[in-house]
Amino acid sequence: MSVLKIEALEKQNEDTVIFPAFGLEMSEGQAVALHSNTNIRNILLRMLNGDMKGSSGDIHVLNKPISTFTKPDYTCIGVSYLDDGLYPRLTVKDVFTFYRSLYNSSRTISDVLHMLQLESKHKVRVQHLSYSEQRRVQAGRLLFQDPALFVWEEADQNVDMETKRIFIKLIQELKQTGKSILLLTSNMESAITMADHVYRLDETGCRSIETEKEELLEPAEEDFIEEIKPVVQFDKVPTKIDDKIILFDPTEIDFVETSAGQVLIHIKGEGFPGVFTLTELESRLQPFGFFRCHRSYIVNLQKVREVITWTRNSYTLILDDKKKTEIPLSKSKMAELKAMIGMK
């Protein structure tokens, strides 16, 4: 059954195209991430709650156009905003009691506390919770609402590892019950890690980002034949900003990614446009300890501190920097990485 269907939706602001007409459809039990900038994300959220209409096209939820929704119809859409307000003086249990009564929910408070790992915090006032714990309380509201379509704005932005793991597990559980989850984010790593399907939406259109499909194009671990590649001897990696060419030592580079067709070389939290393709950089950087961990990422293994397993098919590399930068690691590359470091 179709839960969300976007048909030829377009948004313009006078002569400026915010995003051209695009289509997207979600069925029951799917988690889809839409990667975009903050402006587009805010526009989509306003469209989903009925505060804004597209220049053309429409959004259908449960086969009904949002443009025809009455107030009761919106209960089938549950939105968790990044800056959702909470009642700071209430305890977690009091907040959940309020939400359960508001939505006349059949879910028990103890079940939701368990799903969000907040049992030990049920008597704590919201204002005394950490930011990550408050984000979990926000998620509780959606669980009591129990909509057909869950919409999360920047679900894991600035949360700790425990909370991210809880959210990923929660998404898996919701999918198993037939719920659909739409993740709106500007973080590609989050999109790849948390969703089954990823799309990028910008002023040029909506494009699918390869995630699971890439595994079919890569050799299985047992079919991998080691290839001895010649060492490319060079000292610097060039980047270009305006008319200037800036040269960096390979050891300075944290990771390289490709985004919207542009290769970015990340050094100490700053991204510099590259002059080579990702494949060319993979060949040039391999002798310096770099690893193609994902179709869209190359990482300096000397900068990797942790390898996190979220689910059986979802992994993340954590870099040893102040931001604890997270880089996606594809399933087949996990097997290759284990072989490289001597793990079975």
Side-chain angles (χ1 to χ4, degrees):
M1 176 182 176
S2 175
V3 176
L4 172 68
K5 187 174 184 180
I6 299 175
E7 287 189 324
L9 187 65
E10 180 180 13
K11 185 60 181 177
Q12 298 183 13
N13 185 7
E14 296 180 349
D15 295 330
T16 302
V17 176
I18 308 300
F19 54 81
F22 77 98
L24 179 67
E25 187 166 4
M26 291 177 59
S27 302
E28 293 178 335
Q30 283 190 326
V32 171
L34 200 55
H35 178 272
S36 67
N37 61 36
T38 303
N39 183 41
I40 291 177
R41 188 177 74 232
N42 289 337
I43 288 173
L44 289 174
L45 286 169
R46 294 185 65 187
M47 289 180 175
L48 285 167
N49 65 25
D51 288 341
M52 179 182 287
K53 294 183 178 180
S55 303
S56 63
D58 209 341
I59 301 174
H60 296 71
V61 179
L62 299 180
N63 298 317
K64 184 173 183 178
I66 281 185
S67 58
T68 66
F69 269 25
T70 59
K71 189 173 181 179
D73 292 325
Y74 284 101
T75 57
C76 67
I77 305 174
V79 182
S80 180
Y81 295 94
L82 181 60
D83 58 351
D84 259 351
L86 291 169
Y87 300 97
R89 296 186 179 182
L90 294 182
T91 66
V92 173
K93 183 177 180 180
D94 289 339
V95 172
F96 284 177
T97 300
F98 170 75
Y99 286 148
R100 186 171 187 267
S101 175
L102 178 66
Y103 295 111
N104 193 26
S105 175
S106 60
R107 286 189 186 271
T108 66
I109 293 173
S110 59
D111 283 346
V112 175
L113 286 170
H114 178 70
M115 292 174 74
L116 299 171
Q117 296 295 290
L118 288 170
E119 294 101 325
S120 64
K121 304 288 183 177
H122 73 283
K123 293 184 179 180
V124 178
R125 291 186 179 183
V126 170
Q127 62 188 359
H128 296 143
L129 298 175
S130 69
Y131 173 77
S132 295
E133 290 166 345
Q134 289 179 6
R135 292 298 301 276
R136 283 187 247 165
V137 174
Q138 291 173 350
R141 179 180 64 81
L142 290 190
L143 293 176
F144 286 114
Q145 182 181 344
D146 196 31
L149 176 64
F150 287 70
V151 182
W152 258 297
E153 179 187 16
E154 299 291 5
D156 64 344
Q157 186 179 99
N158 298 326
V159 301
D160 56 29
M161 286 295 174
E162 180 185 7
T163 299
K164 181 168 182 175
R165 191 184 299 277
I166 290 168
F167 283 171
I168 290 175
K169 181 180 179 182
L170 179 61
I171 288 171
Q172 299 300 317
E173 292 176 352
L174 290 172
K175 285 164 49 182
Q176 291 172 5
T177 62
K179 301 298 182 180
S180 297
I181 301 95
L182 177 63
L183 302 163
L184 302 178
T185 181
S186 57
N187 186 309
M188 183 57 74
E189 190 277 334
S190 296
I192 292 171
T193 302
M194 304 184 79
D196 305 318
H197 307 282
V198 180
Y199 298 88
R200 179 184 286 119
L201 178 62
D202 56 29
E203 68 278 0
T204 65
C206 184
R207 299 174 300 284
S208 175
I209 304 298
E210 296 293 338
T211 53
E212 293 180 334
K213 288 184 179 180
E214 71 170 338
E215 316 297 349
L216 303 177
L217 302 177
E218 298 172 348
E221 184 179 5
E222 58 269 22
D223 296 332
F224 178 73
I225 300 176
E226 184 175 1
E227 179 184 356
I228 300 176
K229 298 182 179 180
V231 175
V232 180
Q233 186 64 43
F234 68 99
D235 295 324
K236 302 284 186 178
V237 175
T239 63
K240 188 173 182 180
I241 300 179
D242 297 326
D243 295 328
K244 294 182 180 180
I245 295 178
I246 304 175
L247 302 175
F248 291 102
D249 289 325
T251 54
E252 294 181 87
I253 300 172
D254 297 324
F255 68 97
V256 184
E257 70 170 328
T258 179
S259 177
Q262 173 68 62
V263 171
L264 292 176
I265 297 174
H266 291 266
I267 299 170
K268 295 182 178 179
E270 188 171 358
F272 299 87
V275 299
F276 296 114
T277 66
L278 205 64
T279 300
E280 290 170 335
L281 281 171
E282 179 185 11
S283 176
R284 289 170 176 267
L285 291 172
Q286 190 177 44
F288 297 92
F290 284 76
F291 177 61
R292 185 74 172 265
C293 58
H294 187 276
R295 177 183 294 272
S296 302
Y297 290 85
I298 300 171
V299 67
N300 184 349
L301 287 177
Q302 303 302 319
K303 304 293 182 78
V304 175
R305 171 62 67 180
E306 298 178 68
V307 180
I308 304 294
T309 300
W310 300 114
T311 67
R312 194 159 55 99
N313 298 315
S314 180
Y315 309 93
T316 293
L317 301 176
I318 308 297
L319 301 192
D320 189 15
D321 56 13
K322 291 182 179 179
K323 294 182 178 180
K324 303 297 181 184
T325 302
E326 301 178 16
I327 307 295
L329 173 65
S330 63
K331 180 182 178 182
S332 62
K333 293 295 184 178
M334 178 61 167
E336 190 175 334
L337 179 61
K338 284 184 176 180
M340 289 178 62
I341 62 179
M343 292 181 61
K344 295 182 179 181

